[in-house]
Amino acid sequence: SLQDQFDNLEKHTQWGIDVLEKYIKFVKERTEIELSYAKQLRNLSKKYQPKKNSKEEEEYRYTSTRAFLATLNEINDYAGQHEVISENMTSLITGELTRYVQELKQERKSHFHDGRKAQQHIETCWKQLEASKRRFERDCKEADRAQQYFEKMDADINVTKADVEKARQQAQLRHQMAEDSKAEYSSTLQKFNSEQHEHYYTHIPNIFQKIQEMEERRIVRIGESMKTFAEVDRQVIPIIGKCLDEITKAAESVDHKSDSQMVIEAFKSGFEPPGDVEFEDFTQPMKRTVSESSLSNSRGDGKSEPKFGSKSKGKLWPFIKKNKLMSLLTSPHQPPPPPPASASPSAVPNGPQSPKQQKEPLSHRFNEFMTSKPKIHCFRSLKRGGAGPEDFSNLPPEQRRKKLQQKVDELNRDIQKEMDQRDALTKMKDVYIKNPQMGDAASVDHRLAELGQNIEKLRLEVQKFEGWLAEVEGRLPARTEQPRRQSGVYETQNPSGVNSCAQDRESPDGSYTEEQSQETEMKVPATDFDDEFDDEEPLPTIGTCKALYTFEGQNEGTISVAEGEMLYVIEEDKGDGWTRIRRNEDEEGYVPTSYVEVYLDKNAK
């Protein structure tokens, strides 16, 4: 029936709206994914960006790290394009379709309302026709009964003439009523047929046509939205392609030769390699002394330049102070004391002193020092604190030259800033002189004087650093000769000063390890020596240990421990009975291996 068709159309159009809303939800979730992806990409790029004013920022001078930085920036732009996709899909698809769905629902409601109205009208016309038909049928039946009653009365001779006349009039009345009903029924029927024709051939087809057009517009609209969905993605492909091209370009700009050269320039020290080690003849009975040839093959007259910037070919590494170096680089010369017989912490505090040991050749000690880089960290215990010297003399020559050049450039920039300020104030003063109403010209004189003094101070600083720079580059004679000669005179005139160093030449058992003349020859200014190792990192720990007994550790190179104390192990026992341990960053030394229980880390290098 027609009503069934309306029901089917109503269900189908509602399904179409549901499909449209489902597609809107799909696009909305896609935009959320794009935004989330873009946010994650931006966070990723930000996470790996170098932190300002940090060591990481300095690392980005290499071509490989600059390429990585360019990749991070392009990833940020790449994320921006995904944000564009989300914005365009929201505005061109989600927003438009949401408004269209609301309009579609209103239009659909209107069409089905018109259909129901037309259906109700034709049903009303049909009811009127049925009522007219029943009335006509009833009047015809009553007219027939009235006619039959008249004929019966007229044939009966016993009925009076008046009754017959009355029956005749009644029959005529009923016949007239039947004729009127017939006319009314005929008129109602014609009207219904006209309304029905109009309903089925005009009203309902028009409504169906409107519903069909509405559904077709919905189908076209969802198709266009799908096309827009693809176009929004396609529009950003060229920009994404450019981002990828820039990443490729950055990758192609990586230059391994340039990076290697930067590393060489950054860490070039300017020191010359050591000379050949001379043969030490032990076949002749003689007093064992440390051979100077183990440090250099061309020491000249035995004098050593104390400054790092010196060009002397005979100098190897300018930080050797033998009396301290030997005691720090090697374990104590005495054998370790045996563990106490009792559990009392004070049973054997230090153990018996051993007889004087035959000292090892300096070449052996120095080679051990040079081949075991982590041992340099033991000099942390000699730190005196504070910054390095102003002339950077604690640095190797090449590094010192770079630092001095940076300082000169920095001072020149400061001078330029001060001069710019002075020029600006001079112009302001000229304006005040020409136009007194604008300001007092004398008010800037004090500031101009200050700027002049600042510029003069900065120029003196520049001259000072340029002098040091010229000294390093060999343009001026080394200025360290006079202080060195004065130091030599001072030591000659003050033998007590030499004697004060006697303790430095004692091993843990109290024996002297070097001659006094060697101490004088090898003496290096302590400040230069200390600062050389200011930036060294501590030795890595290779395990932990627990002190079984108390050890006083009063001799040089040893460290005191308390019974039960937990400490870090930084060097195993090498067969001499001593283990090297650390309490904290600045406290480390040797303890007898038998005094501690060692727990080594299997994964330690």
Side-chain angles (χ1 to χ4, degrees):
S1 67
L2 187 62
Q3 184 62 40
D4 292 339
Q5 296 303 324
F6 265 100
D7 292 342
N8 291 336
L9 286 177
E10 193 168 13
K11 291 177 181 178
H12 179 76
T13 52
Q14 181 60 45
W15 171 84
I17 291 175
D18 293 341
V19 169
L20 201 56
E21 290 178 335
K22 183 186 294 184
Y23 184 72
I24 292 172
K25 185 179 179 181
F26 160 74
V27 176
K28 186 176 180 181
E29 290 184 2
R30 164 73 190 276
T31 59
E32 292 173 354
I33 291 172
E34 292 291 343
L35 278 179
S36 176
Y37 181 51
K39 183 179 180 181
Q40 291 179 26
L41 284 179
R42 288 193 183 278
N43 290 339
L44 180 67
S45 175
K46 183 179 179 181
K47 177 181 178 182
Y48 286 94
Q49 287 282 353
K51 298 178 178 61
K52 292 184 178 180
N53 302 323
S54 68
K55 187 179 179 181
E56 286 184 14
E57 203 169 30
E58 297 178 3
E59 296 173 354
Y60 280 83
R61 65 180 184 274
Y62 300 105
T63 58
S64 57
T65 47
R66 285 206 304 270
F68 178 55
L69 183 59
T71 301
L72 294 178
N73 294 333
E74 293 302 328
I75 286 294
N76 206 46
D77 296 340
Y78 186 91
Q81 295 310 306
H82 284 278
E83 290 174 346
V84 170
I85 291 175
S86 176
E87 292 171 2
N88 290 343
M89 285 187 176
T90 300
S91 60
L92 299 178
I93 300 178
T94 307
E96 293 293 330
L97 285 184
T98 301
R99 287 190 292 272
Y100 177 69
V101 165
Q102 297 301 323
E103 296 172 359
L104 186 64
K105 288 180 178 179
Q106 291 296 329
E107 183 180 1
R108 173 179 173 276
K109 182 178 180 181
S110 174
H111 292 330
F112 283 101
H113 176 72
D114 293 342
R116 283 191 291 270
K117 187 176 179 181
Q119 193 71 16
Q120 289 173 359
H121 177 69
I122 197 68
E123 288 176 357
T124 301
C125 292
W126 172 257
K127 289 178 181 178
Q128 290 176 355
L129 177 63
E130 286 293 319
S132 176
K133 179 181 176 182
R134 285 194 297 272
R135 188 165 52 252
F136 172 57
E137 182 181 7
R138 185 181 67 249
D139 289 347
C140 286
K141 289 179 179 180
E142 288 183 356
D144 288 343
R145 284 196 297 272
Q147 183 65 27
Q148 291 173 3
Y149 181 73
F150 167 69
E151 290 175 354
K152 181 179 179 182
M153 293 293 289
D154 188 38
D156 192 355
I157 57 174
N158 297 322
V159 178
T160 62
K161 189 175 181 180
D163 290 337
V164 173
E165 184 63 23
K166 184 177 178 181
R168 184 182 64 80
Q169 291 178 356
Q170 185 69 24
Q172 288 179 347
L173 178 63
R174 291 294 179 183
H175 183 71
Q176 185 61 40
M177 289 176 65
E179 289 295 330
D180 293 342
S181 296
K182 180 180 179 181
E184 183 184 356
Y185 171 64
S186 176
S187 175
T188 303
L189 180 62
Q190 289 179 358
K191 182 180 178 181
F192 173 78
N193 287 334
S194 176
E195 289 288 344
Q196 181 175 260
H197 186 274
E198 189 75 15
H199 177 77
Y200 283 103
Y201 287 93
T202 303
H203 293 317
I204 295 301
N206 285 341
I207 293 172
F208 283 177
Q209 182 67 29
K210 290 178 181 178
I211 293 174
Q212 180 181 348
E213 291 174 355
M214 176 192 73
E215 183 67 9
E216 288 175 353
R217 284 198 306 273
R218 179 193 67 79
I219 296 170
V220 170
R221 192 65 177 267
I222 196 171
E224 291 176 348
S225 298
M226 292 178 180
K227 185 179 179 181
T228 304
F229 183 85
E231 287 298 324
V232 167
D233 250 340
R234 186 175 288 111
Q235 286 173 1
V236 301
I237 288 178
I239 303 177
I240 290 178
K242 288 181 180 179
C243 294
L244 299 177
D245 291 342
E246 289 297 323
I247 293 175
T248 303
K249 184 179 178 181
E252 292 172 350
S253 69
V254 175
D255 185 358
H256 58 285
K257 295 291 185 183
S258 174
D259 285 2
S260 298
Q261 192 60 35
M262 284 185 184
V263 175
I264 293 170
E265 291 297 326
F267 299 109
K268 185 165 61 176
S269 67
F271 290 141
E272 297 179 7
D276 295 337
V277 178
E278 293 182 1
F279 176 73
E280 297 182 31
D281 190 357
F282 293 96
T283 58
Q284 300 298 327
M286 62 179 180
K287 184 177 180 180
R288 293 283 299 279
T289 58
V290 178
S291 173
E292 295 301 323
S293 62
S294 60
L295 293 180
S296 172
N297 67 337
S298 57
R299 297 192 55 85
D301 57 357
K303 295 182 179 179
S304 173
E305 295 292 342
K307 283 291 183 179
F308 291 155
S310 172
K311 296 293 182 178
S312 171
K313 292 183 178 294
K315 184 168 62 171
L316 180 61
W317 304 102
F319 44 67
I320 307 301
K321 184 177 180 183
K322 296 198 296 185
N323 56 341
K324 279 291 184 182
L325 179 65
M326 295 307 103
S327 62
L328 288 170
L329 291 184
T330 60
S331 60
H333 283 193
Q334 66 177 5
S342 65
S344 173
S346 60
V348 183
N350 268 326
Q353 294 290 333
S354 64
K356 184 185 298 185
Q357 300 293 316
Q358 183 75 7
K359 60 181 182 293
E360 299 174 16
L362 179 59
S363 58
H364 174 73
R365 305 274 185 83
F366 186 74
N367 287 335
E368 184 181 357
F369 168 69
M370 293 304 297
T371 56
S372 179
K373 186 178 183 299
K375 287 194 175 184
I376 295 176
H377 300 298
C378 68
F379 288 99
R380 296 179 64 85
S381 60
L382 297 179
K383 284 173 129 181
R384 287 177 169 81
E390 187 181 15
D391 61 353
F392 304 109
S393 58
N394 60 311
L395 298 176
E398 184 64 23
Q399 303 300 322
R400 182 187 180 199
R401 183 190 65 77
K402 290 181 180 179
K403 286 287 186 181
L404 289 171
Q405 187 63 55
Q406 291 175 4
K407 188 67 175 179
V408 169
D409 294 341
E410 181 183 344
L411 290 171
N412 283 330
R413 286 193 295 269
D414 292 342
I415 290 175
Q416 188 59 44
K417 289 179 183 178
E418 297 289 325
M419 292 177 67
D420 291 343
Q421 291 186 35
R422 186 180 65 180
D423 294 343
L425 284 175
T426 303
K427 292 179 181 178
M428 184 184 297
K429 182 177 179 180
D430 293 341
V431 172
Y432 287 169
I433 293 174
K434 294 177 182 178
N435 302 285
Q437 68 276 10
M438 296 183 67
D440 184 10
S443 62
V444 297
D445 288 341
H446 179 67
R447 179 59 181 158
L448 283 172
E450 286 184 356
L451 289 173
Q453 293 174 2
N454 292 343
I455 291 172
E456 188 60 29
K457 289 179 181 178
L458 289 171
R459 282 175 176 167
L460 290 174
E461 286 286 310
V462 169
Q463 291 176 6
K464 180 173 65 175
F465 281 96
E466 284 179 342
W468 286 329
L469 183 60
E471 173 190 324
V472 173
E473 294 176 346
R475 296 200 301 262
L476 292 177
R479 298 188 299 166
T480 58
E481 293 294 329
Q482 184 64 24
R484 188 173 64 84
R485 287 194 295 269
Q486 291 174 356
S487 176
V489 171
Y490 176 79
E491 289 180 5
T492 304
Q493 295 174 353
N494 295 276
S496 60
V498 178
N499 294 334
S500 65
C501 299
Q503 286 184 338
D504 291 343
R505 297 193 299 275
E506 290 180 1
S507 64
D509 61 351
S511 61
Y512 287 93
T513 59
E514 298 172 319
E515 297 297 332
Q516 182 172 326
S517 60
Q518 292 172 347
E519 162 63 21
T520 306
E521 289 176 3
M522 292 298 298
K523 188 169 183 65
V524 176
T527 55
D528 295 352
F529 172 78
D530 293 341
D531 292 324
E532 177 69 20
F533 300 97
D534 276 352
D535 297 330
E536 292 294 339
E537 294 297 325
L539 275 172
T541 60
I542 60 173
T544 58
C545 69
K546 179 181 180 182
L548 301 177
Y549 314 102
T550 297
F551 179 67
E552 295 296 336
Q554 295 177 346
N555 295 326
E556 189 168 0
T558 62
I559 184 173
S560 60
V561 296
E563 182 180 354
E565 185 177 3
M566 295 297 296
L567 306 106
Y568 296 102
V569 177
I570 58 177
E571 187 177 307
E572 290 185 78
D573 185 351
K574 296 185 180 299
D576 55 2
W578 295 92
T579 299
R580 191 172 174 190
I581 63 170
R582 177 188 298 133
R583 178 176 288 109
N584 53 45
E585 187 175 342
D586 294 320
E587 289 188 67
E588 60 183 47
Y590 289 91
V591 295
T593 304
S594 58
Y595 275 58
V596 293
E597 184 176 359
V598 178
Y599 312 99
L600 292 180
D601 184 359
K602 295 182 180 180
N603 298 324
K605 294 183 180 179

